[in-house]
Amino acid sequence: MKLLNKIETYVNARRAFSLRELLALIKTAFYFYIFRIDPLYQSKYENEYTTKFSKFMGGGFADAVNSGTAACYIALRSLKIEPSSNVGVSCFTDPGVYNSIILSGLNPIPLSFKNSLDWHIDIDQLEEQIKKFNLKALLIVHTFGDIEKVSQISNICKEHNIFLVEDLSQCHGGHEANHPVGSYSDISFSSTMGRKTLTSGSIGGLIYTKDELLFNKVRSLADRGKRVINKEMLSKEATENTDISLNFSADEFLCSIASSSLDRLPKAVKRRKEVLNLFSKNLADLKDEGLISILKYEEGCSPFVGLIQILNKRILEKKDLFISLLTQKGVPINGTNNQIAPLWEWLPQESASELKSLALDWRKNHISLFLHEGYSNQYTNKLSKKIREATYAVVSDN
């Protein structure tokens, strides 16, 4: 049985590193080998990748860097926000986002989310928080691949004359009001490491903006604060540096992987949506019975994970058993959901404690369901059946 499960998992693997990525790497290596060129950075394959991404976004400028955390840090520093200023940021995100804000000399203020069943930013409280904390910027994360109401948030930022930053790490290729996420903000960034819909392999990051002056600042900060000469060149003279920064440059080989991944991004997003919708359809009767629900996202989403929302009191009381049964049956889940800022005791921000109780309730009510574009309908149906079996087993357990 274990062997069959391994074979089934293998057959339904994502294959983010496919034959296309292998050929892209061979092509890249062949180029440097034939022309006897050291594979440095900000060269042929990064330029091809970032140009392609900018076109995908409908114009603008992009720079590849070595991680999503670096991309976040550079994006924030490029805005030249006054030190010790407050930045409002989504609660549901990776610690790297909060760390980047702190290391940029700024203070992260967790933004209120709707309730224990909805992680989206509470827009009704947004203006009050901007005024209360004198926020100078908002950093909005499109968590789980669903879309925040970023067009509305953008208008609020403009009214209050503050910056808007978007984190696309879990929502590559998503759209809100027919505009790509990342295009509403002053600047956006993302991680492209493994498991992301747009991936450069084991690590990588990307920064995007429509503002050329801001982009030049990004390029400088991404490469030790060098002076920007033109679109193709940074000064090699250390005496001409304009900023203090580190080397966050991307790798040519990883950029070639990302370029290949970008080519099939629309198909990947489409398939992930189909998989999520199939889960929701298969288990719709469990929602009608008030047991669990597979949440459906906005139309323009780009699903990173699905969410199992627990509706039944008995299942909530026996959540550990539910998680154990799902795991035993081979359902790929994250039963902890600790990527919520108010739960981090190390976070040096008292305002986070105000949201801790709500965050604990949200975590109690949800389980993350891993999914990707490699799932076949047959495999999705089988996982749905296992989720159903685990659900009824917990409800009937004495």
Side-chain angles (χ1 to χ4, degrees):
M1 182 64 70
K2 287 185 177 180
L3 178 60
L4 290 176
N5 286 337
K6 286 183 178 180
I7 293 173
E8 186 175 52
T9 301
Y10 176 80
V11 170
N12 290 277
R14 179 186 175 195
R15 289 180 175 78
F17 192 88
S18 68
L19 179 60
R20 293 185 58 162
E21 282 67 47
L22 176 61
L23 293 175
L25 275 182
I26 292 173
K27 178 182 176 182
T28 305
F30 193 68
Y31 169 81
F32 289 115
Y33 172 77
I34 290 295
F35 292 102
R36 298 293 190 269
I37 301 172
D38 284 350
L40 299 174
Y41 58 89
Q42 298 253 329
S43 189
K44 175 180 171 64
Y45 293 98
E46 179 177 352
N47 290 335
E48 288 182 1
Y49 167 44
T50 54
T51 298
K52 187 185 297 184
F53 183 81
S54 297
K55 185 177 180 181
F56 178 82
M57 295 292 288
F61 310 90
D63 191 37
V65 292
N66 56 24
S67 73
T69 306
C72 180
Y73 174 77
I74 293 165
L76 288 165
R77 281 201 58 193
S78 70
L79 297 174
K80 297 188 286 188
I81 301 171
E82 184 178 350
S84 299
S85 294
N86 293 334
V87 175
V89 56
S90 301
C91 283
F92 292 75
T93 186
D94 182 86
V97 170
Y98 277 74
N99 289 341
S100 296
I101 294 171
I102 294 168
L103 291 174
S104 299
L106 306 170
N107 303 315
I109 304 294
L111 294 171
S112 298
F113 55 99
K114 290 187 175 181
N115 53 58
S116 61
L117 296 178
D118 192 338
W119 71 95
H120 292 94
I121 290 170
D122 189 345
I123 295 182
D124 292 336
Q125 294 191 46
L126 195 53
E127 292 195 75
E128 180 182 339
Q129 285 193 284
I130 290 172
K131 294 174 183 177
K132 177 180 178 181
F133 295 105
N134 191 26
L135 301 181
K136 300 300 182 182
L138 297 183
L139 196 163
I140 305 302
V141 183
H142 297 286
T143 311
F144 307 128
D146 201 17
I147 311 293
E148 291 289 355
K149 296 188 181 303
V150 69
S151 57
Q152 190 174 345
I153 294 172
S154 176
N155 290 333
I156 292 173
C157 287
K158 290 173 182 176
E159 288 175 12
H160 291 272
N161 195 30
I162 64 174
F163 294 109
L164 176 60
V165 182
E166 288 177 82
D167 180 354
L168 317 182
S169 300
Q170 297 186 14
C171 199
H172 296 117
H175 286 74
E176 204 259 355
N178 295 320
H179 293 282
V181 292
S183 63
Y184 284 96
S185 49
D186 296 282
I187 194 166
S188 60
F189 70 92
S190 71
S191 164
T192 57
M193 68 178 293
R195 292 194 63 246
K196 300 298 190 294
T197 314
L198 171 61
T199 180
S200 54
S202 58
I203 199 166
L206 196 61
I207 306 163
Y208 169 79
T209 180
K210 293 177 284 187
D211 186 328
E212 186 171 5
L213 292 178
L214 196 54
F215 174 67
N216 286 338
K217 190 70 173 177
V218 165
R219 292 179 64 211
S220 173
L221 290 168
D223 193 356
R224 292 160 284 185
K226 292 180 179 179
R227 180 175 70 87
V228 176
I229 297 175
N230 54 44
K231 290 183 179 181
E232 287 75 36
M233 192 178 299
L234 298 174
S235 173
K236 295 182 180 180
E237 298 296 330
T239 55
E240 296 182 347
N241 282 20
T242 58
D243 292 286
I244 296 175
S245 192
L246 302 175
N247 188 352
F248 298 104
S249 301
D251 174 87
E252 284 287 281
F253 293 94
L254 296 186
C255 285
S256 69
I257 294 174
S259 185
S260 176
S261 178
L262 180 57
D263 287 338
R264 50 198 178 95
L265 178 60
K267 288 185 178 180
V269 172
K270 180 182 178 182
R271 181 56 192 164
R272 286 190 179 211
K273 290 169 72 172
E274 290 172 349
V275 170
L276 180 60
N277 289 336
L278 184 54
F279 272 119
S280 182
K281 177 182 177 182
N282 286 345
L283 300 171
D285 60 319
L286 296 187
K287 179 180 179 181
D288 294 338
E289 293 176 37
L291 300 177
I292 65 168
S293 172
I294 305 296
L295 297 186
K296 297 187 73 173
Y297 296 164
E298 295 292 332
E299 180 63 29
C301 69
S302 173
F304 181 61
V305 298
L307 284 175
I308 301 174
Q309 190 171 89
I310 302 173
L311 307 175
N312 180 270
K313 182 178 179 181
R314 186 173 182 81
I315 299 176
L316 284 175
E317 291 172 348
K318 297 196 172 189
K319 186 180 177 183
D320 288 343
L321 174 60
F322 189 39
I323 291 171
S324 177
L325 289 174
L326 291 172
T327 303
Q328 290 173 23
K329 291 175 178 293
V331 180
I333 60 167
N334 172 9
T336 58
N337 279 319
N338 286 321
Q339 304 295 85
I340 314 174
L343 302 181
W344 308 332
E345 298 296 337
W346 53 265
L347 184 63
Q349 180 51 252
E350 292 182 5
S351 63
S353 63
E354 300 174 8
L355 295 168
K356 185 173 182 178
S357 178
L358 192 60
L360 287 169
D361 284 342
W362 190 95
R363 183 178 67 177
K364 180 179 67 176
N365 291 325
H366 296 85
I367 296 172
S368 291
L369 173 65
F370 295 123
L371 56 83
H372 56 67
E373 62 274 22
Y375 285 18
S376 67
N377 285 355
Q378 182 180 1
Y379 186 62
T380 305
N381 291 336
K382 188 168 184 177
L383 290 178
S384 299
K385 182 180 178 181
K386 291 179 177 181
I387 294 172
R388 178 186 301 279
E389 291 171 350
T391 302
Y392 284 131
V394 174
V395 172
S396 60
D397 180 71
N398 294 318

